[in-house]
Amino acid sequence: MKNNLNDDQEMPFLSHLIELRDRLLRGVIFVLAVFLALAYYANDIYALLAGPLMKYMPANSSMIAIEVASPFFTPFKLALVVAIFISIPYLLYQFWAFVAPGLYQHERRFILPLLIASTLLFFLGVAFAYFAVFPLMFQFLTAAAPTGVTMMTDISHYLDFVLTLFFAFGICFEVPIFTVVLVWAGLVTPRSLAEQRPYVIVGAFVIGMVLTPPDVISQTLLAVPMWLLFEAGLLCSRLFAPKPAESDPNKQLTPS
């Protein structure tokens, strides 16, 4: 009887591992399929990414490659990153399909919108960086070059620089999600968060100084949206704040 009980406990665990392996494999295959579809256009994708910088570089100048294999590998590296970005909805679907059976009904109603909202906010942060921040930042940086210095950026270093900013803006645009989760978990209240607003504003500008180049434009363009997104998250978190009875598990019921 004891052996049968152990077998019953091990089988669900093994089945979960097998399902996790299958879903991870599906995600990897999907990313590789998208990457193979984009590989042919790798150079065009890199040219599109380099557009905001090339627009403000001096006439008759160009980007350079200081490593022998950079002209070949750098565009494919970008294509792989773009493939991962495109695959995020499918990857999140695989994650949701794996964890959803183990969640309560009210948790499903809460987590699924969070997954969708966090994905959209991340893409919004990347788009904001490309369309709003890059033109102003590169215009400032190219104009600030000393006299006699020709700006010739390495393609690999430029890609690393741009991807860092993409992830920085994408993650910082998740501020409303973090705010809602903290309130929903009962770790903080909307009122306590509102009281910390001055520290949040200062923290946003500190994060802007750390994650962006040392120019006021890009720092401000990251800090101000973070502050506004915090305000939006604070507003939405009031809808998810636990009821007084839910937030105090030790509260005793009065006898009827």
Side-chain angles (χ1 to χ4, degrees):
M1 178 67 67
K2 184 176 181 180
N3 292 335
N4 292 335
L5 181 60
N6 291 335
D7 292 340
D8 293 339
Q9 292 176 346
E10 291 177 1
M11 286 302 295
F13 179 72
L14 291 177
S15 63
H16 287 318
L17 287 180
I18 294 174
E19 183 183 1
L20 178 60
R21 181 203 62 185
D22 292 342
R23 295 196 178 278
L24 289 175
L25 186 60
R26 292 174 192 171
V28 172
I29 292 175
F30 189 87
V31 172
L32 290 178
V34 176
F35 169 71
L36 292 176
L38 296 176
Y40 181 79
Y41 306 97
N43 289 334
D44 296 329
I45 296 173
Y46 191 90
L48 182 64
L49 183 69
L53 175 62
M54 296 299 298
K55 181 179 179 180
Y56 297 103
M57 289 186 69
N60 301 323
S61 62
S62 63
M63 303 180 72
I64 62 174
I66 61 176
E67 297 179 1
V68 176
S70 291
F72 177 79
F73 285 111
T74 301
F76 284 107
K77 177 181 177 181
L78 174 60
L80 178 60
V81 174
V82 173
I84 295 174
F85 274 28
I86 294 176
S87 303
I88 284 179
Y90 180 79
L91 298 177
L92 288 178
Y93 165 76
Q94 293 296 330
F95 170 77
W96 172 252
F98 178 74
V99 303
L103 299 176
Y104 294 107
Q105 187 65 30
H106 69 280
E107 292 174 333
R108 296 182 188 180
R109 291 198 302 266
F110 180 75
I111 293 180
L112 182 58
L114 280 185
L115 289 176
I116 297 174
S118 61
T119 303
L120 294 178
L121 285 172
F122 184 85
F123 286 144
L124 180 62
V126 172
F128 180 79
Y130 182 83
F131 291 105
V133 178
F134 286 0
L136 295 175
M137 179 179 64
F138 291 141
Q139 183 180 13
F140 172 82
L141 293 177
T142 53
T147 304
V149 175
T150 302
M151 186 174 182
M152 302 177 66
T153 304
D154 173 63
I155 60 174
S156 180
H157 292 168
Y158 174 77
L159 177 60
D160 295 338
F161 174 79
V162 167
L163 291 181
T164 300
L165 287 181
F166 277 160
F167 281 106
F169 275 85
I171 292 175
C172 289
F173 268 57
E174 301 289 339
V175 168
I177 304 299
F178 299 146
T179 304
V180 170
V181 170
L182 288 175
V183 173
W184 179 65
L187 300 177
V188 294
T189 63
R191 181 176 180 180
S192 64
L193 281 177
E195 293 174 351
Q196 302 301 319
R197 182 178 287 107
Y199 301 100
V200 171
I201 296 174
V202 173
F205 278 92
V206 171
I207 293 175
M209 288 188 293
V210 172
L211 296 182
T212 61
D215 65 280
V216 178
I217 296 176
S218 58
Q219 293 172 2
T220 303
L221 287 177
L222 178 59
V224 172
M226 282 184 61
W227 170 40
L228 296 178
L229 288 169
F230 166 77
E231 298 293 344
L234 183 62
L235 182 63
C236 295
S237 66
R238 302 180 189 277
L239 303 175
F240 297 92
K243 301 295 189 298
E246 297 176 358
S247 61
D248 188 6
N250 297 322
K251 184 178 180 179
Q252 297 180 353
L253 296 175
T254 56
S256 55

